[in-house]
Amino acid sequence: MRAGPKSRARGDGSDRGPVRGPARQLAGLASRRPWTIVLSALIVGALGLWFALQLRVDQELRVLLPEDALSTSRIDALSDRLGNQSELYVTVRSPSREASLQYAEKLAEGLRARPELRYALFHLDRSFFERNALLYVDLEDLLDLRCRVIERIRAEVRKEMALFPEDNEAAGDVAAADAALSESELRERYQLDTRLPEYYETETDEGALFVIKARPREPDTDIAFARSLFEEVEGLAAKLEPASFHPEMEVGIEGSYAEQSRRAGGLQGDIVRGSAIVIGLLMLVLAIYFRGARAVVLILLPLVLAVTSALGIARLIFGELNLVSAFIFIILIGLGIDFGIHVLGRYRDERRRGLGLDEALAVTLSTTSVSTLAGGLSTALTCFLLVIADFRGFSQFGIVAGIGVLMALLGALVVLPALIVIMERARPWRIAADPAAEAELLADAAPVARGRGPVPWLALLVLAAGLGVAGVAASHLGELEFEYDLGRLDEPVRPKKKKAAKQGHEPYRKAVGRKTTLAPAVALTDDLEASYDVHRQLTALTRLTEEEVELLASGQEIPLPPEFDGCGRPPAADGDGSGEATPEGADGSGEEDESDNGDNDDNDDNDDEGVIDADEDDLQDPAFLALAERARLHRAVDPEVRELLRRYPGDRLREMHDRLYDAASVFSFVPELQEEKLAVIRDIRQRIREKSGVLSDADQERLKTWEPYLEVDAPITAEALPEWVRLQFTDEAGELGRFVVFWTKGGKSDYHNSKRIYDAFLDLEASSGQVPVTASFFVIPEIVDTIRGDGPVVLGLSGGVLFLVSLLLFRRVGGALIVLGTVALALVWLGGLLWLQDWKINFFTVIAFPLLVGMGQDDAIHILHRQQEGSRLGVVLRETGGAVLMTTVTTVLGYGGMVFADHLGLYSLGFTAASGMVLCFVASVAVLPAGLRVARWVRGG
């Protein structure tokens, strides 16, 4: 049935007479120049697509903070100073240690030739440290060694002077001294073999595992570089044919580069898969709702063009997206599809009532498009409000989403009408008239009987239920918690994947040293002197006990260790012998005392648990007593270090000690007290040379095995260290040692722990002034603190925009309050749902709340605006409510695309937004109409 102008007086919003003004002009433009509009949109969309395809996702948390944030500026300074700090680990394992070693040597040689790598460490040449081994021994141990040499010479003299060969005492002295000075005992006692391993190696159930540690030149956040490097290393490993070395040879790639490559590939795969599934489902839903494929093209084509244009603009503005904005394509599809559904749905209804093409477009653009424009602008403004946030996860998302909403709105109000004209002229849309709708509309136009009428029990029940649930939910909102462990948000949704990954990582971490695979902090110094100050105070803190730190923090003196004798040994107490863990007899069993049988009182007095005493003059040599005193003072906190530590407040010093695990710098490889140690070494060397005549040929040959250790005669400087050591402590400018690395305790992704470390170590003291410290996890406390400050402000301003837009549209406070109340009701329900599921709010889900304000307002505005056009609630719910249902379904599908992301943070954002949209729909089509019906009954209308 085709109706003329007079047949349109039905109270459906079309009884205003001929449509004039902007709506008529916009409809006329679409009718006159449809191809111009559509072709222009296609050109803009194609350009946007070209730029959008260049977008990449930076998954680093630091990009979520403003560039002038303290942590990010210091991380930038660290990158400028040291370049990339991430490591690439290549693991080699087989049942044969020899085969694994041979293959790993070949692979390390190939990696060292790669220009993408600064270095590749595998065989750690220990020859330098072997030659200078005694300089790495504690001074008190060197003094003890000196006494052992003296005792060995004295024992040999006693043996030569023995009147009878069976002189057991002299023979026992020589045996004890031989054992004390054997090379194997020396290496074990002074840890010459265990202080520095020759390879990064550990044992596993499948055999020895070797690790090659490499330092790439580019950061692991450069996803293209990480992927290319990953593929290059895999190719090199395969080219060397590991199976030819051993059939069961396994080669793996671990570390942040492998993780970034896998994560980026997984995330991009999730985005593509989720987008494809969402678009497919949207096409199906649209086809079912509008009963044909025409609607799919009419709605999705302008929308996709709008979204790709917005992403192209994002590429020009930002260059790359952060983790929060990663699924912006799907989100914009969900946000923008509402506008097209409302416009096309209203156009279809007008055509069903018998209006022609031009008139139906004009009526649609003058009615539904008004509320669509208001809702769209409100949503866009809400998104743009996020720009005020310092948290760039909010601000970037807000800008891209706001631009996308405006583009989608433009597509729905301009491009969609032009497409309708083109398709209607090419193939008219056959929409059958709906007699039931005609009858309902005629009844809607009939005069309404005045009077209170029957009690609307159903409306009262719905209203009471909605408010009751809101009351219960509101009572538990205070129990909602924030997720302070940001590491949990990066976890895969599927625990099995996480568990398998963790098990695979354990062996290589053990091989290279578990601490070195943890996130370190770095103190950036100006020179070696400042590095030495920082290194000494941090290593001192690792040695101090809690009691000693408490004394230092409270301003008291730390008690010095007991005085050492000339052998670097604490005095014996109550006949217990030396306080040092010295070897006791040839086998360390301490049974030698029994051989004396008390026959020689002098020997009993001087015997030190199996070690023959030196001459008293040698032991009391003032020069070596002074060295022993220096060793004792050094074992405590050095006075200079103590003064540096006292610059920190007591509470901070306690936190530093509690959180510090270990520290490393170039000075970790430079021995302390070298001049003092060299004096002892020279004395030992001189004594052996002077007394070599009293030693037998066999004894001299035995001593030759460890005498090379005594050849050192000059102190070690940082510049003299092996190349493989210097490479690890040289910055981009070629300067050596201008930083100190240290590791801390506790989970770095946990806000509370990272905040403690941040506050304790942000700046360290040196003689020349403060030294700045940076760490990748320092962004954690700044992110959380920023969100806690930005979140309430953004949400409050979103509510203000909602109220203002509603006030401008309805031109009365009552209408604005109704919309605000409807959205607030849905958000309270959402808070109760999160509490019921024991979910914590995180920085992903925080974004959903201001978005839900805009999207939820859109639903309420459409319902209330249609009702105020004069339509009955039945017509409103059947037509506008159907469109709202459809937009809710499509928006939920859009956000539902994020559930395909194997990333807990993105998954939580999708779930929260989708659940919130469902609740906004229920509040708008159930509680809001119920409230309007009850209000009408109360007024007696």
Side-chain angles (χ1 to χ4, degrees):
M1 182 181 78
R2 187 173 180 84
K6 292 183 180 179
S7 66
R8 291 172 46 245
R10 298 188 178 102
D12 60 353
S14 59
D15 54 348
R16 303 172 184 173
V19 178
R20 296 183 175 87
R24 171 63 71 182
Q25 295 174 3
L26 186 57
L29 178 64
S31 180
R32 291 190 308 272
R33 301 186 179 279
W35 282 106
T36 302
I37 295 173
V38 172
L39 289 176
S40 300
L42 288 172
I43 293 172
V44 173
L47 288 173
L49 179 62
W50 186 78
F51 284 108
L53 291 176
Q54 303 174 40
L55 270 176
R56 296 293 181 266
V57 178
D58 189 340
Q59 300 184 53
E60 268 199 304
L61 290 179
R62 63 178 294 267
V63 302
L64 299 177
L65 289 170
E67 293 181 357
D68 60 350
L70 182 60
S71 61
T72 57
S73 61
R74 288 194 176 182
I75 290 175
D76 290 338
L78 175 65
S79 299
D80 293 340
R81 170 79 68 84
L82 303 182
N84 168 53
Q85 288 297 293
S86 301
E87 305 282 5
L88 175 75
Y89 302 98
V90 183
T91 63
V92 177
R93 173 169 49 192
S94 77
S96 169
R97 183 181 185 278
E98 292 73 19
S100 297
L101 185 58
Q102 292 175 10
Y103 176 81
E105 289 278 14
K106 291 285 187 181
L107 183 56
E109 182 180 351
L111 290 174
R112 281 191 285 269
R114 301 297 307 179
E116 306 95 332
L117 302 177
R118 290 180 58 190
Y119 58 77
L121 302 180
F122 178 58
H123 179 217
L124 310 180
D125 185 6
R126 301 190 305 180
S127 58
F128 174 87
F129 298 99
E130 290 277 358
R131 293 193 303 270
N132 298 281
L134 292 182
L135 286 179
Y136 291 90
V137 173
D138 291 336
L139 178 58
E140 54 266 37
D141 287 332
L142 272 180
L143 290 169
D144 179 71
L145 178 61
R146 170 181 174 270
C147 288
R148 289 166 179 268
V149 169
I150 295 172
E151 291 158 0
R152 175 66 182 86
I153 295 173
R154 182 167 177 259
E156 192 67 39
V157 172
R158 289 180 60 186
K159 176 183 175 184
E160 293 296 327
M161 296 177 64
L163 296 178
F164 302 100
E166 60 271 14
D167 190 335
N168 291 332
E169 180 182 355
D173 290 347
V174 173
D178 282 347
L181 294 181
S182 68
E183 183 189 19
S184 59
E185 199 279 335
L186 286 173
R187 297 185 71 90
E188 180 179 356
R189 175 178 175 80
Y190 302 124
Q191 302 176 1
L192 300 184
D193 291 317
T194 59
R195 288 194 178 203
L196 184 67
E198 192 171 5
Y199 299 98
Y200 298 118
E201 179 183 5
T202 188
E203 286 295 328
T204 68
D205 294 339
E206 294 80 12
L209 180 137
F210 290 95
V211 178
I212 304 169
K213 184 169 75 170
R215 174 69 59 84
R217 296 187 182 276
E218 300 298 327
D220 56 8
T221 53
D222 186 339
I223 302 302
F225 174 81
R227 281 183 168 178
S228 174
L229 180 63
F230 191 88
E231 293 171 358
E232 291 287 342
V233 174
E234 279 191 325
L236 176 62
K239 184 179 179 180
L240 294 176
E241 300 180 350
S244 65
F245 290 81
H246 194 283
E248 299 180 34
M249 183 80 69
E250 298 177 3
V251 182
I253 303 175
E254 302 291 351
S256 59
Y257 283 87
E259 293 170 7
Q260 286 282 24
S261 183
R262 296 182 189 117
R263 286 174 55 195
L267 183 60
Q268 291 188 4
D270 292 341
I271 293 174
V272 172
R273 182 171 62 254
S275 300
I277 293 174
V278 166
I279 291 178
L281 290 174
L282 288 176
M283 293 173 65
L284 179 62
V285 171
L286 288 173
I288 294 173
Y289 179 75
F290 287 100
R291 300 178 183 179
R294 178 189 299 256
V296 175
V297 178
L298 288 173
I299 292 177
L300 286 186
L301 180 58
L303 178 59
V304 171
L305 292 175
V307 172
T308 54
S309 299
L311 292 180
I313 296 173
R315 170 66 178 83
L316 295 174
I317 296 175
F318 299 108
E320 58 189 8
L321 299 176
N322 58 49
L323 187 59
V324 176
S325 305
F327 274 76
I328 194 66
F329 178 82
I330 298 178
I331 293 173
L332 286 178
I333 292 291
L335 283 172
I337 201 171
D338 296 9
F339 312 137
I341 290 174
H342 281 295
V343 170
L344 187 60
R346 185 60 182 266
Y347 171 79
R348 180 196 61 179
D349 293 339
E350 295 301 329
R351 292 284 280 140
R352 181 179 289 147
R353 294 179 188 128
L355 298 185
L357 169 61
D358 295 339
E359 194 68 17
L361 275 179
V363 171
T364 298
L365 294 177
S366 67
T367 54
T368 297
S369 293
V370 174
S371 54
T372 299
L373 181 63
L377 290 176
S378 176
T379 302
L381 284 174
T382 300
C383 292
F384 285 129
L385 276 177
L386 295 174
V387 176
I388 69 171
D390 290 329
F391 181 58
R392 287 202 291 179
F394 288 169
S395 57
Q396 186 190 83
F397 185 95
I399 292 174
V400 179
I403 294 173
V405 169
L406 291 180
M407 299 295 289
L409 192 60
L410 186 64
L413 299 181
V414 178
V415 182
L416 175 56
L419 273 177
I420 290 174
V421 171
I422 291 173
M423 298 189 79
E424 285 276 51
R425 290 174 179 173
R427 185 179 180 185
W429 196 359
R430 300 185 183 279
I431 304 174
D434 187 349
E438 285 286 319
E440 189 173 17
L441 287 169
L442 290 172
D444 191 28
V448 179
R450 295 296 174 181
R452 186 176 296 277
V455 178
W457 292 110
L458 180 59
L460 283 171
L461 180 62
V462 171
L463 184 61
L467 294 177
V469 171
V472 174
S475 67
H476 293 285
L477 292 182
E479 300 174 32
L480 282 175
E481 298 180 9
F482 189 86
E483 179 56 79
Y484 286 103
D485 188 355
L486 270 62
R488 290 207 59 212
L489 304 181
D490 199 33
E491 292 178 354
V493 179
R494 300 157 188 83
K496 290 183 180 179
K497 181 176 179 181
K498 175 188 173 186
K499 183 177 180 181
K502 183 177 180 181
Q503 290 175 343
H505 290 167
E506 287 303 315
Y508 97 87
R509 295 182 188 278
K510 184 178 180 181
V512 299
R514 193 174 304 273
K515 72 177 182 183
T516 64
T517 65
L518 304 176
V522 182
L524 296 175
T525 62
D526 292 329
D527 48 47
L528 285 174
E529 289 75 14
S531 294
Y532 187 52
D533 284 344
V534 172
H535 175 86
R536 287 199 300 167
Q537 61 184 287
L538 292 180
T539 52
L541 280 173
T542 61
R543 294 196 302 261
L544 290 173
T545 65
E546 289 187 15
E547 294 75 12
E548 290 171 333
V549 170
E550 186 59 38
L551 290 172
L552 195 61
S554 58
Q556 302 180 53
E557 292 294 334
I558 299 176
L560 293 174
E563 291 187 4
F564 292 162
D565 60 19
C567 293
R569 305 163 186 164
D574 299 328
D576 292 338
S578 171
E580 289 290 296
T582 55
E584 302 174 54
D587 58 358
S589 63
E591 296 176 355
E592 188 143 294
D593 287 343
E594 297 178 4
S595 64
D596 292 340
N597 295 320
D599 293 336
N600 192 322
D601 293 339
D602 292 335
N603 290 337
D604 285 344
D605 292 339
N606 294 326
D607 190 7
D608 185 11
E609 294 188 350
V611 177
I612 305 171
D613 290 340
D615 293 335
E616 190 64 25
D617 291 343
D618 291 322
L619 292 179
Q620 300 303 320
D621 187 322
F624 291 95
L625 286 174
L627 290 178
E629 178 64 12
R630 182 73 181 91
R632 182 174 77 102
L633 294 176
H634 185 72
R635 176 172 287 189
V637 181
D638 188 278
E640 294 180 2
V641 176
R642 184 169 61 246
E643 291 307 312
L644 288 174
L645 292 176
R646 281 180 171 168
R647 295 185 185 181
Y648 304 105
D651 290 340
R652 183 180 171 189
L653 192 62
R654 295 183 187 96
E655 282 286 88
M656 292 172 68
H657 176 262
D658 183 67
R659 292 295 87 197
L660 184 61
Y661 176 65
D662 202 357
S665 74
V666 69
F667 292 102
S668 301
F669 296 86
V670 178
E672 294 187 285
L673 304 179
Q674 292 192 68
E675 292 297 340
E676 291 85 347
K677 293 176 182 179
L678 285 170
V680 179
I681 293 171
R682 292 187 188 106
D683 182 81
I684 295 173
R685 185 172 62 234
Q686 181 179 354
R687 287 179 181 276
I688 291 177
R689 289 175 179 174
E690 289 178 351
K691 302 295 184 179
S692 60
V694 303
L695 301 176
S696 66
D697 292 341
D699 290 333
Q700 293 188 43
E701 288 297 324
R702 187 183 302 113
L703 288 176
K704 285 181 180 179
T705 60
W706 64 272
E707 277 186 344
Y709 301 125
L710 297 172
E711 294 302 318
V712 58
D713 200 34
I716 295 173
T717 62
E719 292 77 8
L721 292 170
E723 182 183 18
W724 65 266
V725 175
R726 288 184 281 111
L727 280 174
Q728 299 179 76
F729 295 98
T730 300
D731 58 29
E732 290 289 285
E735 297 286 341
L736 177 64
R738 294 194 305 160
F739 62 93
V740 179
V741 181
F742 61 95
W743 294 268
T744 49
K745 303 173 185 176
K748 308 306 182 295
S749 61
D750 178 69
Y751 166 78
H752 298 293
N753 184 62
S754 61
K755 179 68 171 175
R756 290 177 62 189
I757 299 170
Y758 180 96
D759 291 339
F761 292 99
L762 187 60
D763 292 291
L764 296 177
E765 298 292 340
S767 300
S768 57
Q770 288 194 330
V771 174
V773 173
T774 185
S776 60
F777 60 87
F778 276 10
V779 302
I780 301 294
E782 292 190 4
I783 284 177
V784 174
D785 290 342
T786 302
I787 292 174
R788 291 166 67 179
D790 288 342
V793 175
V794 170
L795 189 59
L797 289 176
S798 300
V801 169
L802 180 154
F803 183 81
L804 180 61
V805 172
S806 301
L807 185 62
L808 292 174
L809 176 64
F810 297 109
R811 299 182 181 179
R812 59 189 183 92
V813 175
L817 289 176
I818 289 173
V819 174
L820 182 62
T822 304
V823 175
L825 185 70
L827 293 182
V828 172
W829 288 348
L830 178 60
L833 178 64
L834 295 177
W835 167 80
L836 192 63
Q837 293 187 313
D838 198 26
W839 274 41
K840 295 181 179 180
I841 297 173
N842 58 62
F843 70 79
F844 287 95
T845 56
V846 165
I847 297 176
F849 287 94
L851 291 178
L852 287 172
V853 169
M855 293 183 294
Q857 171 190 288
D858 192 48
D859 291 350
I861 282 178
H862 277 289
I863 295 294
L864 188 59
H865 186 263
R866 184 65 185 273
Q867 190 270 338
Q868 292 192 350
E869 289 180 9
S871 298
R872 295 190 179 219
L873 285 178
V875 176
V876 173
L877 292 178
R878 190 178 69 83
E879 294 188 354
T880 305
V884 170
L885 172 62
M886 186 62 185
T887 59
T888 299
V889 171
T890 54
T891 303
V892 168
L893 286 176
Y895 279 107
M898 282 187 284
V899 303
F900 295 101
D902 199 20
H903 185 283
L904 192 59
L906 292 172
Y907 179 91
S908 66
L909 172 58
F911 176 85
T912 302
S915 301
M917 280 306 302
V918 172
L919 296 175
C920 286
F921 167 77
V922 173
S924 297
V925 302
V927 179
L928 173 57
L932 295 174
R933 178 68 183 89
V934 170
R936 181 178 174 182
W937 175 75
V938 170
R939 292 196 304 267

